[in-house]
Amino acid sequence: MVEKFKLFINGQWMETGETLEVINKYTQDTYAVVSKAGGQEVEKAVASAEFAFKKNPLSPYKRYQILKRVSELLLEKKEELAQVIMNEAGKPIKQARTEVERAAQTFEVASEEAKRISGEGVPVEAAPGSENRMAFTIKVPVGVVGAISPFNFPLNLVAHKVAPAIAAGNAVVLKPASATPVTALKLAQIFQEAELPDGLFNVVVGSGSTVGEQLMKDSRISLYTFTGSAKIGLKLKQTTGLNKLILELGNNSPVIVDKHADVELAANNIAQKGFAYAGQVCISVQRVYVHEEVKEAFQEKLVQAIKDLKVGDPSDPDTDVGPMIAEEEAERAEHWVKEAVDDGGEVIVGGKRNGPVFQPTIVSNVHKNMKVVCEEIFAPVVSLITYNDLEECIEEVNESPYGLQGGIFTRDLDTAFYAARKVEVGGLMINDSSQYRVDLMPYGGVKDSGSGKEGPKYSIQEMTEERLVVLNLNQ
Ligand code: NAP
């Protein structure tokens, strides 16, 4: 049965004349039908958010209670939500369940942070002529937050925007990805059950070029928080002028397997983390730089570990790699791999496509100008590059325009710390791959991977303004 969903604006469910069809990404059947927002609905959502922010502010303790309740409800509804994610995003069910657990964590951490938002004392009395003054800062919410989210973590990346925004005392208008809007609407139902006052969270569904662009141009929005491609991130930056902006963008994550590495650990880790959710994770392993002394042993173990991955139906509890978000995306990945092969690359495992499912693939004999290496592939494809000098290897790693997260496998402390100082990324994982994230940590990239950090504590810093208060005392 195809379920129908409405927009969530000012605490009400709104049906519109136009609908968006959401397909099951594995079977390609229609899974749900969602009302699409037009200009009027977007206008109403922003006006409701502005009104709620000004007229119904929540105390920090109330924010804590509501966000904590959302976290509990997410766990109570874990299976229902995981099924939605599996259907609309095509995410293997075991990874979908993990996403729900992580979203519950994100809300729990944000609820705790809601009680810890504070400014600091400023010793203005230390300046000559200011002996009779005292000063401190307070943190105030920015107002209306415009959130635009991608398809690949339809719950937890929405959580990373909405939970800290509410924790900081803001109101939110969310535009989820058109491929995966149902999870966000389910979250709205949970907020309603947790008794969030009307207007503090609104969900408007529709394309980036209509709903997204309208939101970008709305001067009542004080801060935009965007996760998605660098191309749209740049557009947002150019359009939103002087507004505050958090940008979480793309990457082509590097992982170095040094001559001192535990190659078995590295191979098993990369097999899991290069291919989870069909490589459609912004920190998926994409470029593996392996020292020539350990290349053979590492490659043998990696190929074996990849052959052990279960590929196919995301509803199967054992599946590791399911479909990509759309068949055209799988075709794109196939084309990039073919281009690499035509240019001298060698597919040592995988390379085949069946509809939207692309087999986990390793390409070797690549060079740095091939798309599989220098662009973000966002598919289950890892390139193997051999090196023998670490300094040169890191220089090549840093030639990427991206810099979100990276990894290095080494048992040598000097090598690990050298890499920590030299690799240009927002986060470097030692003896782990690029794809490590827990939800309380600061998370965000450098260069074209974006600016500003996520992780509730860090987002709250971005989503509040620091206001200075100075007292001029008589004595
Ligand atoms: P995307 O195509 O950039 O879309 C992201 C969001 O932007 C969607 O909601 C999309 O709406 C919207 N959008 C599209 N055009 C727009 C416009 N002109 N104005 C305003 N909004 C617009 O990215 P995606 O394919 O969903 O996600 C994959 C990308 O996200 C990858 O590059 C990945 O690395 C990145 N990502 C980064 C992080 C991180 O934390 N750094 C995390 C996850 C993903 P529609 O869906 O309606 O097009």
Side-chain angles (χ1 to χ4, degrees):
M1 202 188 73
V2 175
E3 240 191 296
K4 289 195 171 138
F5 290 87
K6 300 174 184 171
L7 306 173
F8 187 66
I9 298 172
N10 202 25
Q12 311 294 316
W13 295 97
M14 285 184 64
E15 197 164 356
T16 62
E18 268 198 90
T19 54
L20 177 83
E21 216 178 282
V22 181
I23 60 163
N24 172 308
K25 303 303 183 288
Y26 184 63
T27 64
Q28 305 284 304
D29 295 331
T30 303
Y31 163 64
V33 171
V34 181
S35 276
K36 247 171 135 170
Q40 273 184 331
E41 287 76 34
V42 177
E43 162 59 35
K44 191 163 179 3
V46 180
S48 306
E50 190 187 33
F51 183 85
F53 170 70
K54 286 188 176 154
K55 302 293 175 202
N56 287 324
L58 291 174
S59 70
Y61 194 75
K62 194 71 199 158
R63 295 176 217 159
Y64 155 76
Q65 286 179 312
I66 291 170
L67 294 170
K68 183 80 171 58
R69 184 71 192 124
V70 170
S71 171
E72 290 161 359
L73 287 166
L74 284 168
L75 291 178
E76 281 171 29
K77 295 173 197 288
K78 175 174 147 184
E79 194 51 35
E80 178 191 339
L81 289 159
Q83 293 288 335
V84 176
I85 296 171
M86 181 200 64
N87 278 298
E88 70 170 355
K91 188 168 283 188
I93 190 67
K94 64 181 172 190
Q95 294 163 20
R97 290 182 183 127
T98 304
E99 179 172 349
V100 183
E101 286 164 9
R102 283 189 50 195
Q105 272 285 310
T106 306
F107 272 94
E108 186 181 64
V109 174
S111 74
E112 291 158 354
E113 292 296 337
K115 294 189 288 186
R116 296 180 193 143
I117 299 169
S118 66
E120 60 182 17
V122 181
V124 287
E125 63 274 21
S130 278
E131 289 78 4
N132 285 349
R133 288 173 204 251
M134 284 173 70
F136 57 91
T137 61
I138 57 171
K139 293 279 181 73
V140 295
V142 292
V144 179
V145 169
I148 301 179
S149 56
F151 74 82
N152 64 338
F153 283 83
L155 183 60
N156 198 33
L157 288 182
V158 167
H160 269 288
K161 304 191 170 323
V162 178
I166 300 288
N170 299 300
V172 184
V173 179
L174 167 75
K175 191 210 97 59
S178 298
T180 55
V182 178
T183 316
L185 293 163
K186 287 275 178 187
L187 181 64
Q189 289 173 357
I190 288 175
F191 262 117
Q192 224 178 5
E193 215 177 315
E195 298 182 3
L196 183 79
D198 294 349
L200 286 179
F201 178 48
N202 306 273
V203 185
V204 280
V205 176
S207 74
S209 57
T210 56
V211 174
E213 302 243 350
Q214 188 176 339
L215 285 176
M216 276 201 243
K217 291 174 188 145
D218 197 310
S219 59
R220 293 165 294 179
I221 294 178
S222 310
L223 176 146
Y224 291 91
T225 168
F226 173 81
T227 301
S229 59
K231 181 174 146 221
I232 306 296
L234 177 63
K235 185 162 193 180
L236 210 71
K237 188 156 186 160
Q238 287 165 339
T239 314
T240 58
L242 297 174
N243 275 43
K244 286 185 97 173
L245 197 56
I246 305 172
L247 291 175
E248 303 292 342
L249 310 176
N251 195 29
N252 57 356
S253 305
V255 173
I256 299 169
V257 181
D258 175 54
K259 63 182 173 192
H260 305 290
D262 175 338
V263 288
E264 186 157 6
L265 171 76
N268 289 335
N269 185 302
I270 291 168
Q272 287 300 323
K273 298 189 174 182
F275 304 100
Y277 190 36
Q280 299 167 116
V281 180
C282 47
I283 44 177
S284 281
V285 181
Q286 181 173 334
R287 298 177 284 154
V288 175
Y289 295 83
V290 54
H291 195 281
E292 59 184 16
E293 279 179 29
V294 294
K295 182 182 181 227
E296 212 171 301
F298 169 74
Q299 184 171 313
E300 193 184 306
K301 289 193 188 318
L302 180 64
V303 169
Q304 188 49 52
I306 288 171
K307 285 186 176 156
D308 290 344
L309 296 174
K310 184 153 188 197
V311 183
D313 185 350
S315 67
D316 180 333
D318 294 326
T319 293
D320 299 292
V321 181
M324 291 183 62
I325 194 68
E327 187 159 350
E328 306 84 76
E329 286 299 302
E331 283 168 358
R332 176 188 54 78
E334 186 181 33
H335 184 68
W336 286 20
V337 169
K338 186 174 176 307
E339 248 181 40
V341 170
D342 290 346
D343 201 9
E346 186 193 352
V347 172
I348 53 176
V349 63
K352 300 257 179 320
R353 180 179 68 80
N354 181 8
V357 179
F358 195 67
Q359 294 287 328
T361 298
I362 298 282
V363 193
S364 71
N365 286 344
V366 290
H367 62 72
K368 61 185 183 182
N369 297 323
M370 289 176 177
K371 278 196 196 124
V372 290
V373 178
C374 67
E375 294 191 21
E376 179 182 39
I377 191 154
F378 224 54
V381 179
V382 167
S383 287
L384 282 193
I385 302 145
T386 313
Y387 77 92
N388 58 34
D389 178 85
L390 185 67
E391 197 180 330
E392 281 172 23
C393 167
I394 291 179
E395 271 170 26
E396 197 171 315
V397 162
N398 289 342
E399 280 175 25
S400 169
Y402 296 114
L404 184 50
Q405 285 197 169
I408 181 165
F409 285 88
T410 181
R411 293 192 188 100
D412 181 63
L413 206 55
D414 287 340
T415 303
F417 276 86
Y418 177 76
R421 286 195 305 271
K422 295 288 181 188
V423 181
E424 294 167 359
V425 282
L428 185 77
M429 309 303 135
I430 293 164
N431 287 321
D432 209 332
S433 83
S434 49
Q435 206 200 109
Y436 172 81
R437 184 178 185 184
V438 290
D439 295 286
L440 55 76
M441 73 187 214
Y443 181 82
V446 298
K447 305 198 282 189
D448 289 359
S449 290
S451 54
K453 297 278 180 197
E454 286 197 339
K457 176 179 164 188
Y458 308 92
S459 293
I460 288 170
Q461 282 168 15
E462 314 263 359
M463 291 175 172
T464 49
E465 304 277 11
E466 189 161 53
R467 183 172 297 157
L468 175 71
V469 181
V470 183
L471 289 84
N472 189 2
L473 303 164
N474 280 331
Q475 301 187 330

